[in-house]
Amino acid sequence: MPPSSDNSAPAATYVIGHRNPDTDAICSAIAYAAYKKARGEHGYIPARCGNSNARIDTVLRKFGTPLPLYLSDVTPRVHDVMVRDVISLPETATCAEALELIDEHDVRVLPVTTGDQRVLGTISIFQLGGYFTPRLRAPRDMRKVETTLAHVTRALNANILHLHDPDRTEDLYVRIGAMDIRSFGKQTESGSIPINKTIIIVGDRWDIQQRSIQFGVRALIVTGNLPIDTEVVEQARAAGVSVISSPYDSATTAWVVRTAGTIEPLLDRKFASISAELPLGELRRRVASSNIPAYLVTGEDGRLQGIISKSDVIKPVQTRLVLVDHNEMNQAVPGAHEVTITEIIDHHRLGPLNTQQPILFINEPVGSTCTIIADLFRRDNLRPAPDIAGLMMSGIITDTLHLNSPTTTPKDTELLAWLSEIAGVDSRALADEIFSSGSVILANTPESVIRADLKIYEENGSHFAVSQVEELGFANFWKHAKELSLALGELIKTERLDFACLLVTDINSQNSLLLVRGDKDLISRISYPHLEKNEIFELAEIVSRKKQLLPYITSILREMQAEK
């Protein structure tokens, strides 16, 4: 998958070849990224969707180039759209602080975390709204706030004249001393609320202030930054009554005091959490059938990594691809159909492909994708670096069997010579070095041989695969033919194919052998000489999967389709 990046960073564009890449796919990805850079276009990163092999390693080692970035899957995931810089609160925060953050950042849900970012729960605007909704049938609860006087002064941004035991968490009850002194006395004496748990909010009513102190209220809050007599403060200090000066009027002060309660009692501890690796498509399905406003993104250790809301889910995914050496989605990196494809540079047949917007699509009937890219350099009067020229030479050499394949065109020949001059490398010597770099059959397991250069096709109602390996002679193939046949059979089961083929090409003789498993009707119609068990065929002068073998197979499939 693509590396995670900061949401503010410009999106990278990955230049990537087909699954199970061959030399042309790797070299064209590197070369096209270099071409873009030479044009002053930045952010293009060469990538691959599959492992290297001895031939690719030989080429990259010769020209001092590292393997492209490995992308196993570009399926959009939660980490592609989640908010990483999450605003969170500690459990000791007050409702006032939560409301301030919700207002400041225009969010509906805040995670509540420990000091090391482990999630304890969430607090939402809905929970806070429910807490502050008037309940006329329970007037006592409408006055109640569980908090400390320290939290009250912080919420009010108050001026402290005297605080007694400010950090004690307790149930406090808010009352406004707005009535006549005689009524105030009677109401206080007859109330069901303990006087030592009462906060009295009053203006510059000296008589109410005095009576509150005499009764022994928990705290006296004087509103509007009005002056308070020194005598009152001293009396309060002697009686153990706290005195606070609020900058707000009485109604606002009363409301703010209720917000001084901690959020801990309101926490939703049954919060919805997901993994950053969850496919975005799956999350969208969850969101469609849920009223959950936001999901917390957590790691296996429970630490907060991000948050994602319903609006984040519909954000466009930033992953962008340039496809090289292929144009069919069943050959592309998994998830390619869910991200933005900006360009395609290819030399194969056109497969079914839909894009969300017009794109640059270059498709030329030449022997190699590297030929197309070299031509782009030349047409723009850009001279590739010698190492990039050498890589493009390698792509052309391997895909055209050093200009001996029937797919070879005059343009391949011309550009190979142009690149040879820039790289300072003789193409014949390079071809000998590449093709003698090791046997794919000897260097890999049978399963890896089959998948080394595998392409899957849909044609005339059939789902099938064609692999190709190039060897110096057929000796290694015959030694491992049975194991390769079994691996081909397993491929059919794994990929749910109708049949599968392995084309083994002898670079020296320019002939091939074809191993086929699967559809017996198709196998019986192959007209080339059978060599063993109706599975192996001799294909003289056949070396191109694209231009020779695939058209032959599709002609058989059309014939079979017509007879149904």
Side-chain angles (χ1 to χ4, degrees):
M1 62 186 164
S4 298
S5 60
D6 186 270
N7 289 357
S8 63
T13 301
Y14 300 99
V15 185
I16 189 167
H18 50 77
R19 303 182 196 185
N20 310 302
D22 57 10
T23 307
D24 188 39
I26 294 292
C27 292
S28 60
I30 298 170
Y32 196 65
Y35 167 73
K36 286 291 191 179
K37 184 176 181 181
R39 283 172 51 90
E41 300 177 45
H42 301 288
Y44 289 81
I45 300 172
R48 60 189 169 95
C49 176
N51 296 324
S52 183
N53 58 43
R55 190 164 293 167
I56 293 171
D57 292 342
T58 296
V59 169
L60 296 182
R61 186 166 52 247
K62 180 173 182 64
F63 296 105
T65 304
L67 266 171
L69 176 70
Y70 177 61
L71 296 182
S72 61
D73 191 335
V74 294
T75 300
R77 299 183 185 275
V78 165
H79 61 65
D80 293 315
V81 296
M82 71 183 187
V83 176
R84 296 175 183 278
D85 298 326
V86 186
I87 306 300
S88 62
L89 284 170
E91 192 176 19
T92 55
T94 63
C95 295
E97 291 168 327
L99 287 166
E100 183 178 0
L101 287 175
I102 286 172
D103 180 56
E104 179 183 350
H105 297 281
D106 191 24
V107 295
R108 293 188 295 172
V109 178
L110 290 170
V112 179
T113 60
T114 62
D116 61 353
Q117 288 297 291
R118 296 181 192 277
V119 179
L120 298 172
T122 60
I123 186 77
S124 71
I125 187 65
F126 308 108
Q127 291 161 291
L128 290 165
Y131 175 67
F132 291 110
T133 299
R135 293 175 175 83
L136 298 181
R137 294 182 180 180
R140 179 187 172 100
D141 290 342
M142 290 170 59
R143 299 176 181 277
K144 179 182 174 181
V145 56
E146 182 185 353
T147 188
T148 68
L149 289 183
H151 285 153
V152 170
T153 58
R154 198 167 74 210
L156 288 170
N157 193 23
N159 180 26
I160 300 171
L161 287 93
H162 170 64
L163 277 185
H164 176 71
D165 199 4
D167 297 317
R168 184 174 75 218
T169 300
E170 54 193 319
D171 289 343
L172 298 172
Y173 296 87
V174 180
R175 297 181 65 176
I176 296 178
M179 68 289 291
D180 183 84
I181 186 63
R182 291 166 294 181
S183 301
F184 175 75
K186 291 177 182 178
Q187 193 176 50
T188 303
E189 291 170 351
S190 62
S192 61
I193 298 172
I195 196 67
N196 62 348
K197 296 291 186 182
T198 301
I199 294 176
I200 297 296
I201 297 173
V202 66
D204 54 355
R205 294 281 304 272
W206 185 88
D207 54 350
I208 298 293
Q209 295 172 9
Q210 285 284 326
R211 184 63 59 88
S212 297
I213 295 170
Q214 291 169 8
F215 284 146
V217 298
R218 180 71 177 95
L220 184 67
I221 302 179
V222 180
T223 60
N225 277 335
L226 293 169
I228 305 172
D229 288 351
T230 304
E231 179 186 357
V232 171
V233 176
E234 291 304 320
Q235 289 173 345
R237 190 188 306 275
V241 174
S242 297
V243 183
I244 303 167
S245 175
S246 166
Y248 306 114
D249 59 37
S250 296
T252 304
T253 298
W255 190 87
V256 173
V257 169
R258 286 210 67 212
T259 70
T262 62
I263 61 175
E264 190 275 333
L266 305 180
L267 286 192
D268 180 2
R269 298 183 185 274
K270 296 180 180 179
F271 57 91
S273 66
I274 55 176
S275 166
E277 295 301 321
L278 182 72
L280 206 52
E282 183 176 335
L283 178 60
R284 286 173 179 147
R285 288 190 290 272
R286 291 190 195 180
V287 167
S289 59
S290 169
N291 60 2
I292 296 173
Y295 291 82
L296 301 189
V297 184
T298 57
E300 293 181 0
D301 57 1
R303 286 187 171 90
L304 184 66
Q305 296 179 339
I307 190 169
I308 186 165
S309 66
K310 287 187 175 182
S311 59
D312 294 320
V313 170
I314 61 175
K315 286 179 184 176
V317 176
Q318 296 299 306
T319 303
R320 295 155 52 92
L321 301 179
V322 173
L323 305 185
V324 294
D325 201 32
H326 69 300
N327 68 80
E328 299 187 51
M329 284 298 98
N330 59 6
Q331 298 175 10
V333 57
H337 64 289
E338 297 185 59
V339 300
T340 301
I341 296 172
T342 62
E343 302 178 42
I344 298 176
I345 315 295
D346 191 24
H347 69 124
H348 294 94
R349 69 171 193 169
L350 300 183
L353 177 70
N354 294 309
T355 59
Q356 295 179 352
Q357 66 283 317
I359 66 170
L360 176 66
F361 193 140
I362 301 176
N363 186 275
E364 291 190 40
V366 292
S368 165
T369 307
C370 283
T371 298
I372 301 172
I373 297 170
D375 194 38
L376 291 173
F377 269 103
R378 190 172 64 168
R379 284 190 305 182
D380 286 355
N381 294 316
L382 297 172
R383 189 177 178 88
D387 58 332
I388 299 298
L391 292 175
M392 288 189 281
M393 287 179 68
S394 303
I396 296 172
I397 288 169
T398 55
D399 252 28
T400 66
L401 300 180
H402 194 212
L403 308 177
N404 289 311
S405 168
T407 61
T408 304
T409 67
K411 182 177 281 190
D412 297 303
T413 304
E414 179 183 348
L415 285 165
L416 182 61
W418 181 68
L419 293 169
S420 177
E421 179 183 347
I422 295 171
V425 175
D426 177 70
S427 67
R428 166 54 62 189
L430 180 58
D432 290 344
E433 186 174 350
I434 293 172
F435 290 130
S436 62
S437 61
S439 165
V440 174
I441 293 175
L442 291 183
N444 296 277
T445 64
E447 293 77 14
S448 298
V449 171
I450 298 300
R451 292 185 177 273
D453 185 6
L454 168 73
K455 293 188 177 178
I456 296 177
Y457 302 93
E458 292 278 353
E459 196 77 39
N460 293 287
S462 289
H463 186 50
F464 63 99
V466 181
S467 301
Q468 184 173 15
V469 295
E470 291 150 358
E471 294 279 318
L472 296 174
F474 296 122
N476 294 328
F477 167 74
W478 286 117
K479 290 176 184 177
H480 299 276
K482 183 176 180 180
E483 295 94 329
L484 291 169
S485 177
L486 292 173
L488 211 56
E490 285 300 316
L491 177 71
I492 292 172
K493 294 178 184 177
T494 303
E495 301 292 339
R496 299 181 180 178
L497 305 172
D498 295 305
F499 63 93
C501 311
L502 172 64
L503 185 68
V504 183
T505 300
D506 179 6
I507 297 167
N508 290 330
S509 68
Q510 299 292 297
N511 296 320
S512 296
L513 298 177
L514 181 67
L515 173 62
V516 189
R517 289 289 303 273
D519 192 324
K520 293 182 179 179
D521 187 15
L522 177 131
I523 292 174
S524 68
R525 295 170 185 260
I526 296 176
S527 58
Y528 286 96
H530 292 218
L531 298 182
E532 187 175 307
K533 295 182 181 179
N534 285 337
E535 287 186 359
I536 302 176
F537 301 84
E538 183 179 24
L539 277 59
E541 298 182 355
I542 299 295
V543 296
S544 172
R545 169 175 50 191
K546 174 180 70 174
K547 197 165 185 177
Q548 295 174 303
L549 179 59
L550 192 57
Y552 177 70
I553 290 175
T554 54
S555 69
I556 296 176
L557 292 174
R558 283 195 296 269
E559 177 185 304
M560 293 167 60
Q561 187 77 7
E563 293 178 4
K564 290 183 178 179

